[in-house]
Structures are given as C-alpha cells and as structure tokens.
Amino acid sequence: MLSTVMPIGRGAGIAACLLSLSLLGGCEEKGAQGQGDAAQGASADAEEAPLYRQWHTVTLNFAGPETSEQAEDNPFLNYRLDVRFTRDEEEYRVRGYYAADGQAAATGAEQGNVWQVKFNPPAPGRWHYHAELVRGDQIAITPDAQGKPVPLEKPRGQFEAKASDGDGQGFHSLGRLSVKDSYFYFPETKQYWLKGGANGPENFLAYAGFDGTYRIATEKREGEASVDTHLHQYEAHRQDWREGDPTLRGGKGKALFGAINYLADKGMNALYFLTLNIDGDGRDVWPYADPDVFTRFDVSKLAQWEQLFEYMQGRGILLHMVTQETENERLLDDGDVGPMRKLYYLELIARFSHHPALVWNLGEENGYAEWAPPAQDDAQRRAMVEFFERHDPYQHPVLLHTHAEINTRQPVLELLLGVPGLDGLSLQADKREHAADVVTKWKRRSREAGHEWLVTMDEIGMWHTGADIDENDPGHISLRGDVLWGTLLSGAAGVEWYFGAKVPHNDLNSEDWRQRDQLWSLTKHALDFFQAHLPWWEMQPCHDQVSQEGAYCLGKEGEVYALYFPHDTRAFAVDLGGIDANLDVFWYNPEKGGELLTGTAPAVQAEGKITLGQPPSRPGADWVVLLRETN
C-alpha cells in the first residue's frame, strides 16, 4: 500500500476514545482519562495530546449541524465529511459519516449534531488531523465537487500513537492485512497468514438485538435454505459470554458476543457474512433505516454492527464482508456503480474500513444463474473493483465469490484475469473431490495472466449438504481430505465452511456453532501445522508426484514437502525426481493434531520414487507427512 492514500472521506475534530474501545484496549490510560478534555478539542500542547496505540481504533467526534436520519436535507447524501490525517510525509484522507448523537449504539438516537470518523494509525508518532464538512446536492457521491463549507467545532487537532509491541489483542497487534505472493500477509509485522472459519450463517447480522432488524416476509424459493420466522438469538452461546465482555444497548447481546468467543476459542479466525440480502436469501440484513429507501441509513444499527466488528477484531476474527448476493446484484442502479451503489459502498468504507483485518467481497455467487435475476456484466464487476481500489484508504483485499460449477464460474472469471485491484477469489466448488483442482487451475490461470490471485476455499458443495453437523458426518473424512488439506496443499489461502441448505443448522437458520465443534478442531489442526512447519508462500503444488488417489503434495524442491495421504493408503510413497537430498520424515495426525511423530523410516535419501515407511499408529487412517531437509 502506498504511504499516501487519498480517497474521499469524512471526519475530524474532537478526539474521544469510546468506552467500548477502551474496554478492548484501544486507548492507553492517559487517552481514556483525557476524554473530557479531548471532547472540547485536542490540545496543541504535546503534553495534552491524547495517547492511542498503533493499529487501534481512534474515534473522533465533531460538533456540526443538527440534523436527523430523515431530515429533508439528507445528511448521508448531501453532506461530505473528509478528514486528512498526516504524520511527517505520510497522509491519509478518510471519509467520515453522520453519527446522530455520537452514542447511537447505546441510545438508539436518530438525530443529533455529531459527525464522526474512525482511523487506525499505521505508524507510531504524532498524528495531526484536519476535518472539512461540506454541503451540496448529492455531494457525498461526487468527491471532486467543492460544495459549501459547513462549520465544525475545532476541526483541527492531534494525538500521539504509541508503537505496538505485540501487547494488543487479536489483529490489533499484527497490523493491517494485505496480500503478497497470492497469500494473506501483514506487511508491518512481516507475517503470512492463513484463514480458517465459518461461512455461515450468511445472515449472521440478522440478530434480534440489533436496532431496526427484522425479516421481510416472502415465500421460500427452491434451492434456498429454510429459515423460520425468528431472527437469530444465538442462545446456545450465552454460556460463552464472560464477565467484562461487551453488551449491546440494554444489556442485550451476551449470546452474540459469546458466539464470537466460542469461534475464537476454537482457534477460528474468519467469519463470512452478508451486509445486504434484500431480495436474497433470508431478507433480513441491510444497513438502511428502511429496506425500500437506499439513501437513508440506520445510524444506531450500524453503530451496533461496529461494536460487534471491533470485538471480532480484538478476538482475531477476520471480517469477511460480503456486500451483495446473486439475487440482488442488480438491486442498486441495475448493477452499475451509480448513485445508490456508490453511497452504499462509501458508507461501508467510512464506518468499517478502519478495521485492520477486513476483506471486501464484491458479491456472493456473482454472475449468471438460471434461478436468479439477470446478473451483472463484466464492465459492472470491473467498476466495483475500481471503486474500492480508489476509495478504500487502507486498500483492503478485494475478492469475488464464485458460482459452484464450471459453466457458470468460468465465463465470469476468464474476463477478470489480470484485472488490477481484484486480489482474488472466494471460491465455491460443487464437488469435494474436484476442489483442489479448481484452486490449482485458477491460481495457474491468474499467474499466467500476470496477476496471480489469492484463492480461498469458502463454499464447498453440494449445495444441499455443504459441511454437515458433526452428528451426521463424524470425522468429516471427505471434508478434511479433499477440501481442507487438499485445497491448502494446492495453494489456497484459507478455508471457510458453508453449512448447506438442507441440513440441520443450515446456512440461514444456524444458531449454534457447537454443532460443528469437531470440524473447527480439524481446521485448527491444519492451520497449526502450516503455521508451525511450512513456508507455504514459497511452496508449489506437486500432486503429480504422489500416485495415490486422494493424496496431495505441496513442496519447495529439495527442502520441504507436505503430503496428505487418505484413508486405506497401503504404500506411502512420493516421486521426488532427480533431486539429491537427505530428508527427515515426520508424521502428523490430521484428526487429533499435536506434535510431529516418527514412523518406521526416520529419514530417507531423495532419489526418484521413495517409500516413506509406515506411520507410528492408526493403521488405515489418513496421515500428513512432512519431509524436511536434514540439517
């Protein structure tokens, strides 16, 4: 990312560390104690400047014009708040937003005179900010228009950012997630990263405790998961909430935050969710005050989403933010990046882009489907990519979710190969046994086009089953072989588990992630192995070097290899060609995880096809083998 990023933005003025953020460790004690002084304007005196931590959220409130969500002079469309943050030669321009009374998450307010911006300082030191609020007809979506200046109280100020030393929680100690070498990467801390987590429920934000949240009644369509009349409660996870964890207004939300605790405690680090499913599956998630009016946003609902997102980041959960789905990809501006889509994206960027680990997903199952309305075209997809590339001040990864089958997936993806700004694919595949091949194909095709994609295996078929509950699929044998290990050893940057449409706890009505407790453990074992033992970003798939059906290989020639062998493997063998190396042989249990083990052949001489001996236990079970150059 460039050190100077200048998309349009809003916000500036009065430094304030919100209570919810201080509970999460976002502010140093000095900053929290100085909140009253900050609310009157940041002092120019270095001794009085509020103190925050690098990569943590800084929230600035500004007193501006009194207005409301439903004001005739629309505060979302006819005002634009830009805040310029500078440190030495570094500059960010960040969009702010209308925040009602500045505490809408707690008060439910729809009116007030507070305009707000959020910023995560990427570097330690003294940061200065300057906010400008302008007014004009549709000026929010016309970034080059000058507009009429609107006064703000104390639009200039400064604060100090303390260098992170790894003392934060979750992603606040790692920096901002990016993409490098077609994998996730934290450039500030120089760490590659793999994701593993939940792809459902996709309407995760349809939670009963959020303001303005309800379900639009329609008949269920063929091929859609069943959904009852009730919004999500997540009561099964109330037990996972702990004293001191946040709640929503009125003490609500314990089960919601408990659900995040459960997922994080299981070692999962990603969650896929829709921010707009009007006309789609569920029809219960949108950012608007009214689902029929696309220019008015629900300030308190979005502030409550922010409470949740901040907590997820603190617990190390990636925000996989899916901005539309196949049924509604032409809902806004008939699919164009026109006024309504621009406003929608800009509000998401203004309110949530400060989070360090966030992925913009341009659309679930994007493209033609015979059971869906007309799809967006290639020009419209490219316009979405370009919009995020231009307007996201932090340049978060941008992905596109695919259809499951080659005849609907390939026509879309072939036209997008080499497009700058599209970082990769959120992949759906219908057949488990083909998942690794699909990952390998699009990694190769994109590399040949000059811009190799990051590919994550996010939705495995078949559509009706996906990843079933533990009770119905003990051990998840095919999922852990062909999908989990198969795709990771094919160059995938992570896996998320889709719950299926026709199973208990499906992708719309699931309330209890414990129903797949074993699946999360299996996923964690794979992530642990990769993180501890492999430079996976330097390795390439080498499946043709293992002849066993259902076996997979990832290797760095002559140095390190990871191989998965399925159940009932009789001869554990690999053909390493003409290399000359001594390799130590270690065995890893993909079902139970744990330490590396030694089998009957502790080391081998790599010359052509070699046998690796037998595993130390579990005859007939699947195994992962690590071959590592002998020191």
Side-chain angles (χ1 to χ4, degrees), residues 296-367:
R296 307 280 180 169
F297 292 83
D298 189 325
V299 173
S300 63
K301 178 198 287 188
L302 294 177
Q304 290 166 347
W305 285 9
E306 169 61 16
Q307 283 185 280
L308 172 65
F309 296 162
E310 185 72 29
Y311 190 69
M312 290 169 66
Q313 294 284 276
R315 290 305 323 266
I317 303 293
L318 170 77
L319 305 176
H320 188 170
M321 198 170 292
V322 187
T323 60
Q324 63 181 6
E325 51 185 332
T326 193
E327 294 90 349
N328 67 18
E329 60 190 72
R330 297 187 71 160
L331 174 69
L332 303 177
D333 307 307
D334 197 30
D336 290 338
V337 180
M340 298 304 94
R341 187 176 295 271
K342 288 178 181 178
L343 187 61
Y344 169 54
Y345 287 161
L346 288 169
E347 286 288 332
L348 292 181
I349 289 169
R351 295 174 190 272
F352 308 128
S353 68
H354 61 282
H355 291 295
L358 179 152
V359 166
W360 300 117
N361 190 321
L362 299 179
E364 181 179 78
E365 298 180 327
N366 193 268

Side-chain angles (χ1 to χ4, degrees), residues 184 193-201 262-264 266-273 316-318 320 456-460 467 483-484 488 493-499 513 516 519-524 527:
F184 289 117
W193 182 84
L194 290 174
K195 77 167 183 178
N199 183 267
Y262 169 77
L263 201 63
K266 290 297 296 183
M268 297 299 92
N269 59 25
L271 179 59
Y272 173 111
F273 55 87
I317 303 293
L318 170 77
H320 188 170
T456 56
M457 183 62 250
D458 289 341
E459 184 168 343
I460 192 62
V483 184
L484 178 60
L488 291 178
V495 174
E496 289 175 350
W497 297 112
Y498 160 71
F499 294 167
W513 282 325
R516 294 171 172 84
L519 185 58
W520 312 130
S521 295
L522 294 170
T523 306
K524 179 64 161 52
L527 298 182

Side-chain angles (χ1 to χ4, degrees), residues 447-461:
R447 183 168 58 251
E448 291 169 348
H451 176 50
E452 185 172 357
W453 281 337
L454 175 150
V455 178
T456 56
M457 183 62 250
D458 289 341
E459 184 168 343
I460 192 62

Side-chain angles (χ1 to χ4, degrees), residues 545 573-581 583 605-611:
Q545 295 178 226
V574 59
D575 188 343
L576 297 182
I579 69 167
D580 182 16
L583 301 171
Q605 175 68 35
E607 291 184 66
K609 186 173 182 179
I610 56 175
T611 59

Side-chain angles (χ1 to χ4, degrees), residues 254-307:
K254 289 184 178 180
L256 176 68
F257 291 106
I260 296 302
N261 284 343
Y262 169 77
L263 201 63
D265 290 346
K266 290 297 296 183
M268 297 299 92
N269 59 25
L271 179 59
Y272 173 111
F273 55 87
L274 288 159
T275 54
L276 179 64
N277 67 6
I278 298 171
D279 289 347
D281 298 348
R283 295 164 287 278
D284 45 19
V285 178
W286 55 82
Y288 306 111
D290 184 322
D292 294 320
V293 180
F294 304 143
T295 61
R296 307 280 180 169
F297 292 83
D298 189 325
V299 173
S300 63
K301 178 198 287 188
L302 294 177
Q304 290 166 347
W305 285 9
E306 169 61 16
Q307 283 185 280

